[in-house]
């Protein structure tokens, strides 16, 4: 059977770049065959395979001639050193295949090459395949990242070699002895192998055949459409037969056969969709964890390797758009790679390189305090405005382990009304019901929220990504636009030219959604324009996974809480010292440095404790630096300004038997009641087996609850430490195992409404989970937990799968279980994991995972918790204030000569429901006229947002009795108070 086909195509002649469109008359003989789907599909797959038949298939023709390098030499460095220092080192000859290392070292290579004259008119690459992550330097500037894992194994020396181009070139290659995902020993998240060796497997010049690459990409997309659209779709069969005809036409050794084959593909891809088809907004992306399986310092180089590669792609693809978050990473690049940062600023102005997120880092969404989250936005947005001229409109947090119900209000207060994430697609139990919706926070604030339906922030531009984006969209009929973030991520890497080429082919192809290179602003604008049918989700976005992150790496969590408190106190003390002494120099710059260090440690793999030991050590050094700077700053504050009058309405009688409490008795003028359940023991330590399915430092599984073992062995029995009077206390020691012990002091202070437990644990366990339980005489279907600037309720029952999935939850300084007229609160100074099931209140204390840090939590721990029975509601009992008191101890600042010694109060609040949380100096002070308000002289007050921008729509008038402010529930109010 003969078939006549007339195909129109453009043929490029010579090296001039000019083309002529001609018609090719093809007479093809087709032997009638059974069009078997399996055989045709596998035939096409083998034709482009990297493994099979590469001696005769198309893939084997991707590269042409090869040429060895003139010379290659290397220099090994223990430290990460700058380029100008590296090139001064001693370089010795290197042979491809030789090993170097170990892990975390850096090997610099000096490469000399000469491109053969005979390669004129050809595209020439430096082909470089090695372990580790590499950066190519040319003319003292970084120009290209290289990594096998990120599918970047060549650097383009010339797109088309010309006579006037340099043929002899010298390059440097900086190779980090770690992979995109660190150096895990045996698995990705295992502790790093410190002795791993690395090598270069290939380093040579090659001719790259772009026409082969184009044809390979055509066939790859067609083959994937066959697979993904399935046997029931006619369009899949059209893709199959098109691919088969292309294989018939294409002779791998004869490039003149390629245009006809490509023309068939172009005809197929140009068959368009209908008007109603879903639109995918493709955006280049490169999620880079600021620390995780590698230390902070290596992240700096990951950013440079990834972003310089993006710049090269933008130069070649003017339509490319790339989204990038985390002000801290931009700041690193600005300091370490100023030339690259200037290029980034250029492409930001062009609208291709788009800063997103608005925060200093992509922080954990649960554990940082409310003020810490404010500072994340304040520092991030200030940086983006200063360096790029604009505030971010979108909050960007794709990889965090849950999202606080207070985040919508914090976003709104920071100039952000849109939110993108995808992590809830990881839910282990329940499927979250939306992809595009309005998220309503604790105070009623709403933000338009989008979860990319492809359930990934590192797509590859493949057919599968596009099909899943449509298939997984849970808001079909309500939202017809979705994001697709493409590029290697977590460890960096970013987009590739191949990803861009894939997406370019299917911009409007029947059988697939429409695809357009887009921006977050364009996506959200489309969603906003057609949002009338969108649903609303109220409250927290709870991730049903990674519950162990509330407890892992207790020292990091203790350091975070203490540093939050220290910086709070320094700012209050400095502000009030400035009021009392106009010559006092407010420590603005040191405080900004310290806050940024604390914010960095709140990255979503650091404060949760899901990082390697090197990162833990880095984090602890930052905390130690904050402690030390606190002491230095304190000496400049010349008066004692903090005082606290403490009173209580409650009196306690505690009865101790061995180490646990069998009775806590509350007695007031209106109520006498036991707090601990009859026949049960409060302060009962319990140990659980803690072996998750995979994510060791991340997960605690529900089945761990079936392994409960009380800790009962007494090492040192109860002894009276303080006999009474103002303080009564007892001490004891328990044995957890032959390796671990608990020593505790239980304290009753006069006029204090809670029983305090000062605890020291020597902890040397493996895959165990230590908790403390308080079964209480309270019955309620819900318990209340403190979150950022507020609190929320969660069920104490397990009626539904949504309730059951909350077997381990997070909270901050307190949790409360109350019924009418009575309740019990559990307070702490550094813990975040809780469980309240029926009437048992449980505080999570310590875990012992072994990856990615084999020594996680091993050693000595000190922490304090307290139990506080109360009458009335927790608000009436001032639980919130007492939790602050436990976490913010009285700090005395030594009097200096000439300082004020008269007691005075700077602020008071008339409503117990209002917490004056933070007092600090603003970044800049507008000018206004004075009005006195003793003991301070102030100008008229103005309301402001969380970025300290004046909000004239919210007046704060000064009256004879003070400043009059109206609040709605859980509302955050910021005021600008101008001192004379």
């Amino acid at each position: 059977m003969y078939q006549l086909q007339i195909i129109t195509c453009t043929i490029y002649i010579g090296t001039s770049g000019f083309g002529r469109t001609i018609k090719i008359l093809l007479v093809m003989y087709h032997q009638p065959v059974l069009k078997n789907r399996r055989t045709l599909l596998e035939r096409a797959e083998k034709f482009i395979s990297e493994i099979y038949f590469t001696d005769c298939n198309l893939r084997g023709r991707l590269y042409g001639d090869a040429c060895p390098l003139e010379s290659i030499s290397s220099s090994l460095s223990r430290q990460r050193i700058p380029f100008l220092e590296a090139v001064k080192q001693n370089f010795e000859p290197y042979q491809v295949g030789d090993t170097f290392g170990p892990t975390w070292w850096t090997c610099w290579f000096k490469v000399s090459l000469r491109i053969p004259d005979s390669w004129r008119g050809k595209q020439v690459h430096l082909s470089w395949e090695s372990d580790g992550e590499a950066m190519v330097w040319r003319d003292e500037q970084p120009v290209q990242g290289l990594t096998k894992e990120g599918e970047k194994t060549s650097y383009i020396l010339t797109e088309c070699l010309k006579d006037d181009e340099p043929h002899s070139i010298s390059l440097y290659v900086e190779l980090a002895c770690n992979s995109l995902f660190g150096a895990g020993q045996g698995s990705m998240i295992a502790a790093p192998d410190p002795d791993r060796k690395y090598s270069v497997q290939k380093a040579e010049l090659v001719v790259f055949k772009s026409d082969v690459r184009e044809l390979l990409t055509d066939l790859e997309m067609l083959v994937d459409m066959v697979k993904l659209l399935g046997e029931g779709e006619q369009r899949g069969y059209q893709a199959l037969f098109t691919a088969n005809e292309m294989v018939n036409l294409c002779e791998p050794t004869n490039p003149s056969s390629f245009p006809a084959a490509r023309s068939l593909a172009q005809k197929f891809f140009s068959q368009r969709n209908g008007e109603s088809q879903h639109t995918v907004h493709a955006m280049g992306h490169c999620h880079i964890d600021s620390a995780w399986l590698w230390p902070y310092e290596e992240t700096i180089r990951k950013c440079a390797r990834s972003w310089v590669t993006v710049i090269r792609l933008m130069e070649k693809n003017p339509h490319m758009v790339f989204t990038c978050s985390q002000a801290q990473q931009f700041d690193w690049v600005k300091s370490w790679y100023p030339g690259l940062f200037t290029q980034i600023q250029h492409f930001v102005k062009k609208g291709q390189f788009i800063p997103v997120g608005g925060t200093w880092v992509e922080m954990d969404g649960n554990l940082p305090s409310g003020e810490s989250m404010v500072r994340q936005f304040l520092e991030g947005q200030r940086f983006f405005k200063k360096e790029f001229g604009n505030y971010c409109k979108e909050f960007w947090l794709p990889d965090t382990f849950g999202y606080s119900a207070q985040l919508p209000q914090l976003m709104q207060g920071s100039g952000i009304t849109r939110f993108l994430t995808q992590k809830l697609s990881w839910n282990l139990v329940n499927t979250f019901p939306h992809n595009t919706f309005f998220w309503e926070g604790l105070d009623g604030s709403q933000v338009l929220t989008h979860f990319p339906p492809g359930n990934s922030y590192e797509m590859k531009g493949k057919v599968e990504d596009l099909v899943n984006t449509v298939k997984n969209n849970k808001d079909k009929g309500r939202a017809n636009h979705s994001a697709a973030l493409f590029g290697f991520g977590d460890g960096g890497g970013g987009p590739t030219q191949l990803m861009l080429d894939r997406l370019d082919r299917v911009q409007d192809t029947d059988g697939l959604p429409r695809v357009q290179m887009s921006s977050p602003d364009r996506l959200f604008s489309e969603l906003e324009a057609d949002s009338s049918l969108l649903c609303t989700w109220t409250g927290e976005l709870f991730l049903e996974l990674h519950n162990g992150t509330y407890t892992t790496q207790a020292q990091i969590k203790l350091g975070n809480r203490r540093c939050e408190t220290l910086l709070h106190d320094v700012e209050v003390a400095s502000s009030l010292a400035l009021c009392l002494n106009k010559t006092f120099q407010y420590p603005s710059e040191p405080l900004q440095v310290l806050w940024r260090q604390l914010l960095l440690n709140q990255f979503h793999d650091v404060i949760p404790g899901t990082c390697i030991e090197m990162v833990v050590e880095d984090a602890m050094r930052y905390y130690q630096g904050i402690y030390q700077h606190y002491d230095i700053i304190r000496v400049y504050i010349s008066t004692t300004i903090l005082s606290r009058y403490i009173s209580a309405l409650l009196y306690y009688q505690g009865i101790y038997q061995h180490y646990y409490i069998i009775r806590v008795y509350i007695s007031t003028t209106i109520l006498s009641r036991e707090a601990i359940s009859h026949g049960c023991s409060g302060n009962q330590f319990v140990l659980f087996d803690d072996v998750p399915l995979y994510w060791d430092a991340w997960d605690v599984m529900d089945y761990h609850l079936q392994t409960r073992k009380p800790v009962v062995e007494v090492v040192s029995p109860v002894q009276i430490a303080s006999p009474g009077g103002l303080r009564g206390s007892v001490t004891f020691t328990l044995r957890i195992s032959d390796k671990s012990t608990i020593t505790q002091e239980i304290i009753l202070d006069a006029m204090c409404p809670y029983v305090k437990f000062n605890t020291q644990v020597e902890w040397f366990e493996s895959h165990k989970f230590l908790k403390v339980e308080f079964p209480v005489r309270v019955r309620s279907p819900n318990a209340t937990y403190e979150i950022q600037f507020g609190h929320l309720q969660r069920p104490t029952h397990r009626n539904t799968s949504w309730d059951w999935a909350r077997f381990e939850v997070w909270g901050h300084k307190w949790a409360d279980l109350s019924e009418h007229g009575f309740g019990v609160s559990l307070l702490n100074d550094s813990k975040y994991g809780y469980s309240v099931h029926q009437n048992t209140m449980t505080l999570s204390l310590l875990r012992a995972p072994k990856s990615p840090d084999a020594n996680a939590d091993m050693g000595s721990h000190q922490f304090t918790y307290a139990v506080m029975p109360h009458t009335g509601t927790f608000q009436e009992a001032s639980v919130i204030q007492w939790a602050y008191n436990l976490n913010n101890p009285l700090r005395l600042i030594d009097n200096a000569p000439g300082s004020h010694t008269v007691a005075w109060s700077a602020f008071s609040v008339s409503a117990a429901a209002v917490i004056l949380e933070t007092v600090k100096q603003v970044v800049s002070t507008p000018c206004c006229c004075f009005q006195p308000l003793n003991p301070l002289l102030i100008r008229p007050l103005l309301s402001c947002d969380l970025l300290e921008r004046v909000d004239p729509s919210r007046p704060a008038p000064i009256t004879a009795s003070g400043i009059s402010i109206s609040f709605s529930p859980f509302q955050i109010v910021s005021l600008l108070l101008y001192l004379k």
Side-chain angles (χ1 to χ4, degrees):
M1 175 180 178
Y2 292 89
Q3 180 179 353
L4 181 67
Q5 289 193 2
I6 300 177
I7 297 176
T8 301
C9 63
T10 301
I11 296 179
Y12 288 89
I13 302 172
T15 60
S16 64
F18 293 99
R20 293 181 58 195
T21 301
I22 63 174
K23 291 184 178 180
I24 300 176
L25 182 65
L26 295 177
V27 179
M28 297 180 291
Y29 176 73
H30 289 277
Q31 176 68 37
V33 294
L34 176 65
K35 302 267 188 190
N36 181 273
R37 181 178 184 275
R38 175 184 170 183
T39 57
L40 296 189
L41 174 58
E42 192 164 337
R43 179 198 188 195
E45 287 180 310
K46 294 298 194 295
F47 191 65
I48 60 175
S49 171
E50 295 179 346
I51 301 172
Y52 302 102
F53 307 113
T54 55
D55 62 320
C56 60
N57 73 3
L58 186 63
R59 177 76 62 176
R61 301 298 184 272
L62 183 59
Y63 294 98
D65 294 339
C67 174
L69 304 177
E70 285 194 332
S71 67
I72 180 170
S73 55
S74 67
S75 176
L76 195 60
S77 171
R78 180 189 293 268
Q79 306 297 326
R80 299 173 180 89
I81 57 177
F83 173 82
L84 293 179
E85 182 179 342
V87 297
K88 297 176 183 176
Q89 306 303 305
N90 181 39
F91 284 77
E92 298 181 352
Y94 175 82
Q95 293 293 324
V96 171
D98 289 351
T99 60
F100 49 87
T103 301
W104 309 126
W105 286 43
T106 300
C107 193
W108 285 84
F109 295 89
K110 184 177 181 180
V111 175
S112 296
L113 58 89
R114 178 169 177 79
I115 305 174
D117 295 338
S118 60
W119 289 4
R120 183 185 302 109
K122 297 180 179 180
Q123 186 174 134
V124 182
H125 291 195
L126 167 65
S127 178
W128 182 280
E129 294 184 17
S130 67
D131 306 318
E133 296 185 80
M135 170 80 91
V136 180
W137 291 77
R138 186 172 183 176
D139 300 327
E140 301 185 358
Q141 293 297 319
V143 292
Q144 174 73 52
L146 297 173
T147 170
K148 285 192 295 186
E149 297 161 296
E151 296 181 3
K152 299 177 181 69
T153 57
S154 65
Y155 166 58
I156 301 175
L157 294 165
T158 175
E159 294 278 359
C160 180
L161 184 65
K162 299 180 177 62
D163 290 337
D164 58 354
E165 283 188 275
H167 286 44
S168 294
I169 302 172
S170 292
L171 303 171
Y172 286 89
V173 178
E174 175 189 14
L175 199 152
C177 293
N178 54 263
S179 74
L180 276 181
F181 293 92
Q185 190 166 13
S187 75
M188 181 184 75
I189 65 168
D193 179 359
D195 301 317
R196 181 178 295 180
K197 294 294 185 180
Y198 298 76
S199 69
V200 178
Q201 296 89 45
K202 180 187 290 186
E204 62 183 9
L205 300 182
V206 294
V207 171
F208 180 79
K209 298 181 179 179
S210 57
D211 55 349
V212 174
R213 166 58 71 196
E214 296 291 345
L215 195 51
L216 285 170
T217 306
D218 289 339
L219 284 163
E220 176 205 299
M221 297 296 282
L222 288 166
V223 165
D224 284 352
M225 286 187 69
V226 176
K227 294 178 180 177
L228 271 298
L229 296 183
E231 295 188 41
E233 292 286 336
Q234 176 169 317
R235 188 62 171 162
Y237 277 97
Q238 291 173 351
L240 177 67
F241 297 154
T242 300
N244 187 60
E245 289 302 313
M246 290 172 65
V247 176
N248 288 335
L249 286 174
C250 179
E251 185 179 343
T253 58
N254 181 12
S256 66
S257 68
F258 296 174
R262 285 222 65 203
S263 183
L264 287 176
Q266 291 164 1
K267 178 181 178 182
F268 176 89
F269 292 133
S270 65
Q271 293 171 338
R272 297 185 176 182
N273 273 297
E275 290 297 318
S276 65
Q277 184 58 273
H278 193 87
T279 299
V280 173
H281 294 249
M283 308 172 206
H285 189 53
C286 180
H287 180 68
I288 303 178
D289 289 321
S290 291
W292 180 29
L293 304 176
W294 53 87
Y296 286 130
E297 269 196 5
E298 192 55 46
T299 306
I300 300 173
R301 299 199 295 187
K302 284 178 175 285
C303 292
R305 288 189 289 259
S306 302
W307 296 354
V308 76
T309 305
V310 167
I311 296 297
R312 298 289 84 80
L313 288 173
M314 287 180 174
E315 292 170 344
K316 190 175 180 180
N317 303 269
H319 67 298
M320 179 187 176
V321 172
F322 178 75
T323 57
C324 192
S325 66
Q326 306 195 70
Q328 171 69 90
Q329 295 183 3
F330 283 99
D331 194 44
W332 279 333
V333 170
K334 180 183 177 183
S335 298
W336 287 76
Y337 303 90
L340 172 57
F341 189 76
T342 299
Q343 295 176 63
I344 290 171
Q345 288 178 311
H346 169 72
F347 282 98
V348 169
K349 289 181 180 178
K350 293 185 68 175
Q352 290 183 255
F353 202 115
I354 302 178
V356 294
T359 50
W360 189 245
V361 296
E362 289 187 10
M363 72 282 194
D364 181 81
N366 300 325
L367 308 185
S369 69
E371 185 59 28
S372 288
M373 285 192 167
V374 170
R375 301 304 175 90
Q376 288 284 356
F377 286 105
L378 178 62
E379 291 295 328
Q381 288 285 55
R382 282 180 57 209
F383 181 90
F384 289 126
K385 178 67 173 177
K386 177 184 176 183
E387 300 296 341
F388 305 118
N390 293 296
Y391 293 116
C392 296
K393 298 178 183 179
E394 308 86 11
F395 184 36
W396 198 271
L397 204 60
D399 193 30
T400 288
F401 314 145
Y403 304 88
S404 167
Q406 196 60 281
L407 275 169
Q409 183 177 190
L410 296 173
M411 289 184 234
Q412 289 273 9
S414 304
I416 291 173
T417 58
R418 302 153 165 183
F419 176 43
L420 184 144
T421 186
Q422 62 83 47
K423 198 65 177 184
L424 261 65
S425 66
W426 285 45
N427 271 8
L428 195 62
V429 181
N430 299 285
T431 299
F432 191 79
H434 302 296
N435 286 99
T436 304
F437 59 99
F438 287 104
W439 180 22
E440 184 174 273
L442 206 59
D443 72 317
S445 297
Q446 290 191 351
V447 291
L448 179 58
T449 300
H450 181 66
F451 297 174
N455 297 336
S456 174
Y457 49 76
E458 51 172 338
M459 297 179 177
K460 306 301 184 291
K462 292 189 173 184
V463 171
E464 179 182 15
D465 299 329
L466 304 177
V467 170
N468 286 341
T469 294
V470 176
K471 181 177 69 175
N472 297 342
N473 179 22
K474 302 181 189 69
D475 294 282
K476 295 181 179 73
R478 289 189 288 263
N480 208 29
H481 296 261
S482 298
L485 310 180
F486 64 94
F488 288 95
D490 288 331
T496 66
Q497 183 63 53
L498 179 56
M499 296 176 193
L500 289 164
D501 292 342
R502 289 168 179 156
L503 293 169
D504 285 345
R505 276 162 174 73
V506 291
Q507 295 178 49
D508 193 358
T509 295
D510 184 26
L512 297 177
R514 283 195 180 88
V515 180
Q516 62 184 30
M517 196 62 61
S518 188
S519 67
D521 184 60
R522 185 173 180 182
L523 164 69
F524 279 103
S525 294
E526 294 280 6
L527 294 173
E528 288 165 349
D530 189 19
S531 60
S532 61
L533 297 179
L534 295 181
C535 300
T536 298
W537 179 273
T538 300
E540 66 180 328
L541 296 174
F542 186 86
L543 177 64
E544 297 175 359
L545 196 68
H546 295 356
N547 315 60
T549 61
Y550 317 146
T551 306
T552 305
Q553 297 288 7
Q555 295 288 13
I556 286 182
K557 292 169 171 62
L558 175 65
N560 176 75
R561 184 80 65 83
R562 285 185 176 174
C563 287
E564 287 176 334
T565 300
L566 285 175
L567 291 178
H568 166 276
D569 290 354
V570 166
E571 288 183 331
V572 172
S574 297
S575 298
L576 299 183
L578 185 61
C579 299
L580 297 172
N581 186 344
K582 288 188 291 186
T583 64
F584 177 78
Q585 296 294 312
Y586 190 92
S588 301
E589 292 184 6
L591 280 171
Q592 184 185 58
V593 171
L594 299 180
W595 264 111
R596 287 183 170 184
Q597 290 176 350
L598 178 60
L599 299 180
L600 174 57
N601 277 354
Q602 291 171 351
F603 179 75
H604 65 252
D605 277 310
V606 180
I607 189 174
T610 53
C611 50
I612 61 173
E613 189 171 14
M614 291 177 71
V615 178
V616 177
E617 293 167 352
D618 286 344
M620 297 311 297
R621 278 194 292 270
Y622 282 140
Y623 292 139
Q624 191 60 41
I626 294 173
Y627 301 152
Q628 293 170 355
H629 279 83
Y630 166 77
D631 292 333
I632 294 171
I633 293 173
R634 186 175 61 174
V635 304
Y636 292 104
I637 304 174
S638 60
T639 183
T640 301
I641 60 172
L642 297 179
S643 61
R644 184 170 291 141
Y645 175 73
I646 301 176
S647 62
L649 299 176
L650 308 180
Y651 299 85
Y652 293 90
Q653 176 186 9
I655 299 178
Y656 308 100
Q657 178 176 323
H658 300 301
Y659 61 92
Y660 48 81
I661 299 176
I662 60 171
R663 186 181 183 200
V664 174
Y665 186 74
I666 181 171
S667 178
T668 71
T669 56
I670 60 172
L671 177 70
S672 296
R673 181 159 174 174
E674 298 276 2
I676 302 298
S677 292
H678 179 70
C680 297
S681 302
N683 197 43
Q684 175 66 67
F685 292 100
V686 286
L687 193 67
F688 299 84
D689 294 339
D690 187 13
V691 184
L693 299 176
Y694 176 70
W695 297 100
D696 201 358
W698 292 257
D699 289 348
V700 55
M701 311 309 297
D702 52 0
Y703 53 73
H704 88 282
L705 296 170
Q706 298 177 299
T707 66
R708 178 182 179 275
K709 298 180 184 66
V711 177
V712 297
E713 184 179 351
V714 177
V715 176
S716 298
V718 172
Q719 297 180 344
I720 296 175
S722 297
L726 294 178
R727 166 170 288 189
S729 68
V730 297
T731 62
F732 58 87
T733 300
L734 303 178
R735 189 182 309 282
I736 301 171
S737 71
D738 58 352
K739 297 174 287 187
S740 304
T741 59
I742 301 170
T743 299
Q744 191 171 70
E745 182 182 19
I746 304 178
I747 301 170
L748 279 171
D749 284 335
M751 307 300 290
C752 182
Y754 51 69
V755 182
K756 187 165 64 174
F757 303 85
N758 289 346
T759 311
Q760 178 168 333
V761 181
E762 302 301 322
W763 181 249
F764 297 96
E765 299 300 310
S766 176
H767 291 112
K768 299 294 182 181
F769 198 167
L770 181 66
K771 306 183 186 183
V772 64
E773 296 176 345
F774 289 88
V776 297
R777 294 195 183 188
V778 177
R779 183 173 178 83
S780 175
N782 296 294
T784 306
Y785 302 83
E786 186 196 38
I787 67 168
Q788 298 84 358
F789 297 144
H791 52 267
L792 52 72
Q793 291 188 331
R794 300 185 181 107
T796 59
H797 54 77
R798 294 170 181 167
N799 287 354
T800 71
S801 60
W802 294 87
D803 303 329
W804 174 257
R806 286 164 168 78
F807 62 87
E808 178 83 4
V809 298
W810 66 272
H812 283 198
K813 298 186 292 293
W814 59 270
D816 181 81
L817 184 64
S818 289
E819 58 189 36
H820 179 70
F822 179 74
V824 178
S825 294
L826 194 54
L827 286 56
N828 76 84
D829 73 344
S830 60
K831 301 302 176 185
Y832 296 89
Y834 293 90
S835 172
V836 181
H837 181 223
Q838 296 180 348
N839 69 319
T840 300
M841 305 182 72
T842 304
L843 183 66
S844 298
L845 303 177
L846 294 169
R847 296 187 69 223
K850 297 304 173 187
S851 63
D853 177 4
N855 298 306
D857 282 314
M858 298 298 97
S860 181
H861 297 267
Q862 291 83 34
F863 49 86
T864 297
Y865 56 89
V867 61
M868 179 178 167
H870 59 81
T871 59
T873 66
F874 68 86
Q875 294 99 329
E876 293 168 339
S878 300
V879 168
I880 299 171
Q881 289 83 350
W882 284 108
Y884 270 101
N885 289 352
L886 180 67
N887 281 266
N888 295 65
L890 182 68
R891 303 187 197 279
L892 296 179
I893 303 172
D894 295 336
N895 284 327
S899 64
H900 294 268
T901 57
V902 177
W904 64 285
S905 175
F907 301 97
S908 62
V909 181
S910 61
V914 175
I915 301 294
L916 179 59
E917 227 285 342
T918 300
V919 180
K920 64 176 285 288
Q921 188 181 67
V922 297
V923 177
S924 59
T925 306
C927 186
C928 289
C929 44
F930 290 90
Q931 180 173 344
L933 179 67
N934 290 330
L936 306 176
L937 288 176
I938 69 169
R939 306 174 191 183
L941 266 77
L942 296 172
S943 295
C944 65
D945 65 8
L946 299 181
L947 302 185
E948 301 174 354
R949 301 177 298 183
V950 172
D951 182 358
S953 67
R954 293 190 299 163
I958 300 173
T959 67
S961 60
I963 304 162
S964 178
I965 313 170
S966 296
F967 284 86
S968 58
F970 302 110
Q971 182 183 7
I972 305 165
V973 174
S974 295
L975 299 174
L976 292 174
L977 180 121
Y978 303 104
L979 302 179
K980 181 176 181 180

